[in-house]
Amino acid sequence: QVQLAESGGGLVQAGGSLRLSCEASGRIFSTYGMGWFRQAPGKEREFVSSISWSGGSTYYADSVKGRFTISRDNAKNTLYLQMNSLKPEDTAVYYCNADIRTAVWRRSEYWGQGTQVTVSS
C-alpha cells in the first residue's frame, strides 16, 4: 500500500508564502510524474502544477505561474510546492497526486488526503 502525506498548509496573509510537502511512503517500486491539485469550496478540483520524474519538465496553471514553484527530491520520495505572493483566491485544499509503480506489473495513480491553505486579505 502507498500513502501520500501532505503537510505545510496553514493560514497566511495575502502576499505571504507557504511551502507544501508531500511524502510518499509504502511499497514503492518507482515514482513517475507527481503534481498538485486544489479544490476551493463549491468548486471542482483543479490542476495547479506537475513535475516529471527527473524534474526536468514542470507545468503550471496560468493562475499560479510566476508565483509557485514545484520541485521534488526523489531520494526522499518527496514533492514540494513553494507558494509565494499568495492571494485570497489561492485558498483551497491542496492535494498531492503521484503516478507510482508498486510492482513490475502494477502502476497506479495515488492521492493524498489534502492540506488546507487559507489566505486572508
Side-chain angles (χ1 to χ4, degrees), residues 23-114:
E23 182 178 3
S25 61
R27 193 178 180 87
I28 297 172
F29 193 78
S30 57
T31 304
Y32 299 94
M34 300 182 77
W36 292 96
F37 290 73
R38 67 186 182 186
Q39 187 167 18
K43 295 187 177 181
E44 294 187 354
R45 190 172 296 188
E46 64 175 5
F47 169 79
V48 175
S49 182
S50 65
I51 187 169
S52 62
W53 175 84
S54 67
S57 296
T58 58
Y59 306 90
Y60 297 93
D62 288 343
S63 58
V64 307
K65 269 181 191 174
R67 299 187 298 121
F68 292 9
T69 302
I70 192 170
S71 61
R72 63 190 293 169
D73 183 336
N74 288 336
K76 297 180 179 179
N77 281 330
T78 301
L79 176 71
Y80 303 98
L81 186 68
Q82 178 67 43
M83 305 186 295
N84 298 328
S85 303
L86 282 161
K87 304 175 181 180
E89 50 262 46
D90 294 319
T91 295
V93 177
Y94 283 70
Y95 297 91
C96 173
N97 171 271
D99 179 7
I100 295 174
R101 183 178 296 281
T102 54
V104 173
W105 62 87
R106 184 173 297 156
R107 178 175 171 176
S108 303
E109 183 180 38
Y110 294 87
W111 290 90
Q113 293 298 307

Side-chain angles (χ1 to χ4, degrees), residues 10-28:
L11 173 64
V12 64
Q13 288 189 331
S17 298
L18 284 173
R19 189 193 194 204
L20 305 184
S21 298
C22 170
E23 182 178 3
S25 61
R27 193 178 180 87
I28 297 172

